[in-house]
């Protein structure tokens, strides 16, 4: 019996998908990417913003048509949308046979077997249940890098965000479980670990009474076979000197940090329920660059948050221009029901949100182009991602580039390289965000 598994949304959701795939594989199920071959479809959904909800709903409807045609025997919905809108899904998409909540992914096998036995039963656990840890994973990222989810849920309760209501409070994964999982991934050939959570910087506070991300980094760095360790989703107010020192001290930890600041106007930051003001953002960015001069900083922003005035936007624009982030993404504000921001006064028109996003991205494009030009002449160690068909050119990533969100470096060489190889490259040129280089021979 073949299963088509569709994983939508973020990399944290992808880890859940990979764990469910591992459980199904252990029971002898096989997988396919071809709808025409599928006997069962599992959709791991997302509902973080409006576009994600729309994609998840459309995917469920599309797969429901396969169920109606008789081609598919079972359709299962999992993930955030399934957790948040389970009653609506049952009513509006009756083709869905079972719904699995965000804390019940270890019930995937039971849910499928119940459906095949003629039963329909949804599976939920307490939204604050301990994270599912002791499972095998089917790594779907190519095998040379993998995400390591170090915590579940969030305690921040930003006014625009639904995550605490679908993922629960912040719960760290015990360190021994993470180290075991990381060793298993390394044994399977994973060379880069990418640490993810709704917030990585608070790791360990609930279990150990203190922030244990620095200690976790030191222990992960001792695992043979792991070459890079990358950290995503660091809230700025939780970045400590100890964390900065750990990044600087461990050669395996990439000098790269993803810091989602969302805005720079104190007025908007306060309405968002964020824990920093602009002065504090400037201070932490300055400290990071002082202590780790070659650090690559990525951030995300929200344009058109309720109450954002033209003056607020101009303040944000100036901030981006002055800070010159290496990597930056902007998302128009998405009005999510059941969040405080959804009912705030002074909602910004959609066209204004999108215009402001475009203005910021145009500015960032110019910044990114200049930074790419500055890299010409540098020698960098890169990870090979693959080869361009019919050309003597390989696609690679530098320490400055997280997969799927940042740029690439194209290596021109006749050498026979493999995905996951690390090589030294001389940067010879740039093309907007991407770099061009050649193998460096000392």
């Amino acid at each position: 019996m073949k299963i088509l598994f569709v994983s939508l949304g973020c990399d944290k959701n992808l880890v859940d998908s990979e764990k469910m795939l591992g459980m199904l594989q252990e029971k002898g199920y096989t997988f396919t990417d071809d709808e025409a071959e599928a006997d069962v479809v599992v959709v791991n959904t997302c509902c973080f913003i409006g576009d994600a909800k729309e994609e998840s709903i459309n995917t469920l409807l599309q797969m429901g048509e396969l169920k109606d045609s008789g081609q598919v025997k079972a359709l299962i919905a999992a993930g955030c949308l399934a957790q948040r809108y389970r009653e609506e899904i049952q009513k509006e998409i009756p083709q869905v046979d079972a719904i699995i909540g965000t804390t019940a992914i270890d019930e995937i096998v039971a849910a499928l077997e119940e459906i095949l036995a003629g039963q329909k039963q949804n599976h939920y656990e307490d939204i604050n249940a301990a994270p599912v840890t002791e499972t095998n994973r089917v790594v779907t990222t190519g095998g040379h890098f993998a995400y390591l989810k170090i915590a579940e849920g969030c305690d921040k309760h930003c006014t625009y965000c639904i995550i605490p209501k679908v993922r629960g409070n912040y719960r760290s994964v015990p360190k021994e479980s993470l180290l075991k999982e990381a060793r298993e991934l390394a044994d399977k050939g994973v060379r880069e670990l990418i640490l993810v959570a709704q917030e990585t910087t608070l790791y360990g506070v609930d279990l150990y009474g203190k922030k244990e991300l620095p200690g976790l980094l030191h222990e992960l760095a001792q695992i043979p076979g792991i070459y890079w360790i990358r950290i995503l989703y660091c809230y700025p107010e939780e970045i400590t000197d100890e964390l900065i020192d750990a990044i600087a001290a461990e050669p395996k930890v990439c000098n790269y940090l993803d810091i989602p600041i969302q805005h720079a106007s104190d007025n908007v930051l306060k309405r968002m329920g964020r824990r920093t003001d602009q002065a504090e953002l400037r201070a932490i960015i300055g400290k990071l660059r002082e202590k780790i001069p070659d650090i690559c900083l990525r951030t995300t922003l929200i344009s058109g948050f309720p109450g954002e005035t033209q003056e607020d936007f101009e303040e944000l624009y100036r901030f981006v221009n002055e800070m010159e982030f290496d990597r930056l993404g902007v998302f128009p504000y998405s009005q999510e029901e059941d969040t405080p921001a959804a009912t705030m006064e002074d909602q910004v028109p959609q066209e204004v949100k999108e215009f402001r996003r475009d203005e910021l991205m145009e500015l960032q494009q110019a910044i990114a182009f200049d930074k790419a030009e500055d890299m010409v002449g540098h020698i960098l160690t890169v990870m090979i991602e693959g080869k361009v068909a019919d050309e003597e050119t390989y696609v690679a990533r530098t320490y400055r580039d997280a997969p799927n969100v940042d740029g690439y470096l194209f290596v021109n060489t006749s050498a026979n390289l493999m995905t996951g190889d690390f090589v030294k490259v001389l940067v010879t040129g740039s093309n907007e965000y991407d770099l061009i280089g050649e193998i460096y021979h000392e």
Side-chain angles (χ1 to χ4, degrees):
M1 179 167 288
K2 292 186 176 181
I3 299 176
L4 171 64
F5 210 109
V6 183
S7 188
L8 304 174
C10 66
D11 39 45
K12 299 173 286 292
N13 217 35
L14 180 64
V15 173
D16 289 348
S17 295
E18 293 180 343
K19 290 183 176 181
M20 286 188 277
L21 285 166
M23 296 176 220
L24 290 164
Q25 186 181 66
E26 282 187 332
K27 291 296 183 179
Y29 293 100
T30 58
F31 309 109
T32 180
D33 291 328
D34 188 347
E35 293 178 7
E37 295 181 354
D39 302 297
V40 175
V41 177
V42 181
V43 181
N44 198 13
T45 61
C46 177
C47 69
F48 184 56
I49 59 175
D51 288 347
K53 283 193 291 189
E54 184 177 352
E55 182 184 24
S56 293
I57 292 168
N58 288 341
T59 302
L60 288 172
L61 290 171
Q62 179 186 352
M63 298 307 160
E65 292 176 0
L66 298 180
K67 179 85 182 301
D68 286 338
S69 70
Q71 175 188 326
V72 168
K73 299 179 179 65
L75 174 58
I76 299 175
C80 293
L81 185 90
Q83 176 77 39
R84 184 180 180 190
Y85 295 108
R86 53 195 180 194
E87 293 178 0
E88 291 86 346
I89 290 173
Q90 288 176 307
K91 180 180 178 181
E92 302 295 337
I93 313 177
Q95 298 92 336
V96 173
D97 296 297
I99 296 173
I100 296 178
T102 53
T103 54
I105 61 172
D106 53 344
E107 296 293 321
I108 180 66
V109 173
L112 177 54
E113 291 179 346
E114 288 164 359
I115 296 167
L116 297 177
Q119 304 171 9
K120 288 188 178 183
Q121 183 173 337
N122 297 327
H123 290 264
Y124 303 101
E125 298 290 342
D126 182 342
I127 199 170
N128 292 310
V132 176
T133 57
E134 299 301 322
T135 64
N136 290 327
R137 280 174 63 181
V138 174
V139 177
T140 61
T141 50
H144 53 294
F145 74 89
Y147 298 101
L148 185 68
K149 184 157 69 166
I150 66 174
E152 184 63 89
C154 186
D155 292 336
K156 293 296 188 184
H157 297 279
C158 300
T159 61
Y160 52 82
C161 184
I162 198 65
I163 290 299
K165 292 186 178 181
V166 295
R167 290 282 176 177
N169 297 327
Y170 194 89
R171 290 104 66 211
S172 301
V173 177
K175 192 182 294 186
E176 56 270 21
S177 296
L178 292 174
L179 294 172
K180 179 176 180 289
E181 185 176 359
R183 292 188 192 100
E184 290 171 350
L185 291 169
D187 290 343
K188 293 177 181 178
V190 168
R191 311 292 304 281
E192 176 184 9
L193 288 177
I194 304 173
L195 308 192
V196 296
Q198 301 301 333
E199 177 184 355
T200 52
T201 26
L202 273 182
Y203 174 74
V205 168
D206 54 318
L207 293 181
Y208 311 113
K210 62 177 182 176
K211 298 175 186 176
E212 264 298 289
L213 182 57
L216 178 63
L217 291 175
H218 290 309
E219 294 194 52
L220 289 172
Q222 305 308 309
I223 297 176
I226 298 300
Y227 196 96
W228 277 350
I229 301 169
R230 187 182 303 275
I231 315 168
L232 303 185
Y233 310 114
C234 293
Y235 275 54
E237 68 271 20
E238 307 295 353
I239 297 174
T240 62
D241 289 345
E242 186 181 5
L243 176 59
I244 296 173
D245 291 342
I247 296 170
E250 289 291 353
K252 289 185 179 182
V253 178
C254 295
N255 289 350
Y256 176 106
L257 215 52
D258 170 47
I259 313 173
I261 64 171
Q262 310 305 357
H263 215 279
S265 161
D266 289 352
N267 169 54
V268 177
L269 288 167
K270 184 176 180 179
R271 290 169 69 90
M272 287 179 165
R274 302 291 290 183
R275 312 292 178 89
T276 49
D277 58 27
Q278 185 180 137
E280 290 166 330
L281 292 174
R282 288 179 180 273
I284 189 61
I285 292 166
K287 182 183 289 187
L288 284 164
R289 286 175 167 164
E290 177 185 359
K291 291 195 171 185
I292 312 174
D294 65 342
I295 195 165
C296 179
L297 296 180
R298 158 170 277 283
T299 195
T300 50
L301 305 171
I302 295 173
S303 65
F305 188 79
E308 181 191 65
T309 64
Q310 180 63 24
E311 290 74 19
D312 291 326
F313 170 70
E314 290 173 359
E315 187 174 359
L316 173 60
Y317 189 95
R318 288 193 298 271
F319 180 82
V320 171
N321 192 37
E322 293 171 15
M323 292 298 100
E324 294 187 338
F325 290 97
D326 301 273
R327 310 282 186 261
L328 182 144
V330 186
F331 301 91
Y333 167 70
S334 178
Q335 190 174 3
E336 294 304 308
E337 58 186 334
D338 299 326
T339 63
T343 57
M344 286 182 178
E345 296 180 353
D346 301 320
Q347 296 287 326
V348 177
Q350 186 65 27
E351 60 271 19
V352 176
K353 299 178 195 175
E354 294 177 0
F355 175 80
R356 290 175 177 173
R357 173 203 59 195
D358 294 345
E359 288 283 291
L360 289 167
M361 289 309 300
E362 185 176 345
L363 170 62
Q364 180 60 27
Q365 187 172 17
I367 292 170
F369 180 82
D370 289 342
K371 285 182 172 289
E373 286 284 293
D374 290 343
M375 295 306 296
V376 174
H378 282 68
I379 298 166
L380 300 173
T381 298
V382 304
M383 174 192 277
I384 299 299
E385 288 278 355
K387 189 175 185 296
V388 178
D390 302 322
E391 293 186 28
E392 290 187 340
T393 302
Y394 289 86
V395 181
R397 284 188 295 112
T398 76
Y399 79 92
R400 301 168 60 84
D401 303 300
N404 303 318
V405 293
D406 295 326
Y408 292 101
L409 186 148
F410 293 90
V411 185
N412 298 312
T413 179
S414 58
N416 185 22
L417 303 176
M418 301 292 292
T419 299
D421 284 350
F422 284 88
V423 295
K424 283 190 175 182
V425 171
L426 171 65
V427 181
T428 58
S430 66
N431 180 15
E432 294 188 2
Y433 297 102
D434 298 322
L435 302 177
I436 301 166
E438 57 189 34
I439 297 292
Y440 174 71
H441 299 285
E442 295 186 68

